[in-house]
Amino acid sequence: MEIKLQKIIELKGRLILESNLHIGSGNMDMHIGGTDNPIIKHPHTLEPYIPGSSIKGKVRSLMELSSGVAQLAYSKNSASGGLASLATLKQASSEQAKAEVADILKIFGFSGSDKSGNDEDAQLTGELGPTRVAFADCYLNKEWKEKAIENLWPLAIEKSETAIDRITGTAKNGSLRITEMVPAGAEFDFKLSFKVFCDQDKKLFDKLKKGLELLVKDAIGGSGSRGYGRIRFENLREE
């Protein structure tokens, strides 16, 4: 494939929380009066945001699951966790499976450490080309933030949670935890860019948009099975 950039498509819109959202900061330090499970915040503004990597990872996961690529990757190497790689592409037994894996790798890319440096990997790398999609971090929408400030809406809330003893029906000792989250209704600016190298990439872009539809039906962040992280998109447009 000739690697020549034809254009870059930008998909922009608004991401709105339908339920509370928790994306952890990874800060495990305990502070007096602090939470056990803080959310990720911008280091300068201390405002919550949604990392592009969180959206990319979840959309990729859903697309791999829906296409059967995750099962294929896991069956070939359980340590992969279902993440497609060059090895998955080489081990695919049918042309349809190869095509599904190739589409995932073209859209989302693959690790540099995934390449062994042999001639076969070099050929596959050339056929796949560069990663097409790039997700931007989602920051609070300016108009919504101004409205929140005016109405004294909190940008983050805390919720107490506990585990229940199945026999006694009461809270287990030591299970109380305080989780920080972004409240439902918060609005963020959403943007991704998609590189088009050939006409076939337009089909990949359509496939990616179906992945975003899967995301709306699922959730992002932690505790999605408990109702957290439900979202919707508004005013998505291509530029």
Side-chain angles (χ1 to χ4, degrees):
M1 181 186 74
E2 181 183 4
I3 305 300
K4 183 178 180 181
L5 183 63
Q6 294 186 4
K7 64 178 179 178
I8 297 178
I9 303 173
E10 286 191 327
L11 185 64
K12 297 180 180 179
R14 194 170 294 192
L15 186 157
I16 301 175
L17 300 187
E18 293 279 286
S19 65
N20 297 335
L21 170 70
H22 175 82
I23 298 179
S25 66
N27 180 9
M28 301 304 293
D29 294 335
M30 291 295 294
H31 304 282
I32 296 176
T35 65
D36 306 303
N37 204 1
I39 58 174
I40 190 167
K41 298 176 183 176
H42 192 281
H44 297 159
T45 65
L46 299 181
E47 295 174 354
Y49 72 99
I50 304 175
S53 57
S54 295
I55 302 176
K56 177 182 179 182
K58 190 56 183 283
V59 172
R60 175 172 182 163
S61 174
L62 291 170
M63 290 178 64
E64 287 174 330
L65 285 169
S66 67
S67 64
V69 168
Q71 177 61 42
L72 173 63
Y74 191 83
S75 66
K76 300 300 182 182
N77 178 14
S78 60
S80 70
L83 179 69
S85 64
L86 286 181
T88 311
L89 181 59
K90 291 187 289 185
Q91 294 165 352
S93 57
S94 69
E95 291 303 315
Q96 181 178 355
K98 287 182 182 292
E100 292 288 356
V101 176
D103 284 352
I104 292 292
L105 297 180
K106 287 177 181 178
I107 294 172
F108 297 100
F110 47 89
S111 171
S113 61
D114 191 32
K115 297 177 286 186
S116 65
N118 59 39
D119 291 341
E120 183 180 7
D121 282 355
Q123 181 179 350
L124 287 175
T125 300
E127 292 173 355
L128 295 171
T131 302
R132 272 52 168 193
V133 70
F135 287 82
D137 291 341
C138 300
Y139 296 107
L140 288 170
N141 175 264
K142 181 180 178 182
E143 289 78 14
W144 182 87
K145 186 171 68 173
E146 290 175 350
K147 187 186 297 184
I149 293 172
E150 180 181 352
N151 291 281
L152 302 179
W153 296 341
L155 300 183
I157 59 176
E158 295 178 356
K159 181 182 178 184
S160 299
E161 299 177 320
T162 187
I164 300 298
D165 187 298
R166 297 300 192 266
I167 302 302
T168 66
T170 60
K172 290 183 179 180
N173 289 333
S175 66
L176 178 65
R177 59 188 181 275
I178 300 176
T179 299
E180 189 177 31
M181 58 193 70
V182 187
E187 300 184 9
F188 297 82
D189 291 325
F190 172 81
K191 184 175 75 171
L192 65 78
S193 59
F194 191 91
K195 299 180 181 68
V196 176
F197 295 100
C198 62
D199 291 340
Q200 293 179 341
D201 286 348
K202 297 174 184 177
K203 294 182 179 179
L204 296 181
F205 183 64
D206 290 336
K207 181 173 286 191
L208 174 63
K209 289 193 289 186
K210 291 182 179 179
L212 294 177
E213 294 175 4
L214 292 175
L215 180 62
V216 171
K217 296 178 181 179
D218 200 82
I220 59 174
S223 303
S225 63
R226 285 186 276 160
Y228 295 174
R230 301 303 300 266
I231 68 164
R232 75 176 189 271
F233 293 108
E234 283 192 358
N235 302 322
L236 282 181
R237 61 194 184 278
E238 297 177 21
E239 295 182 359

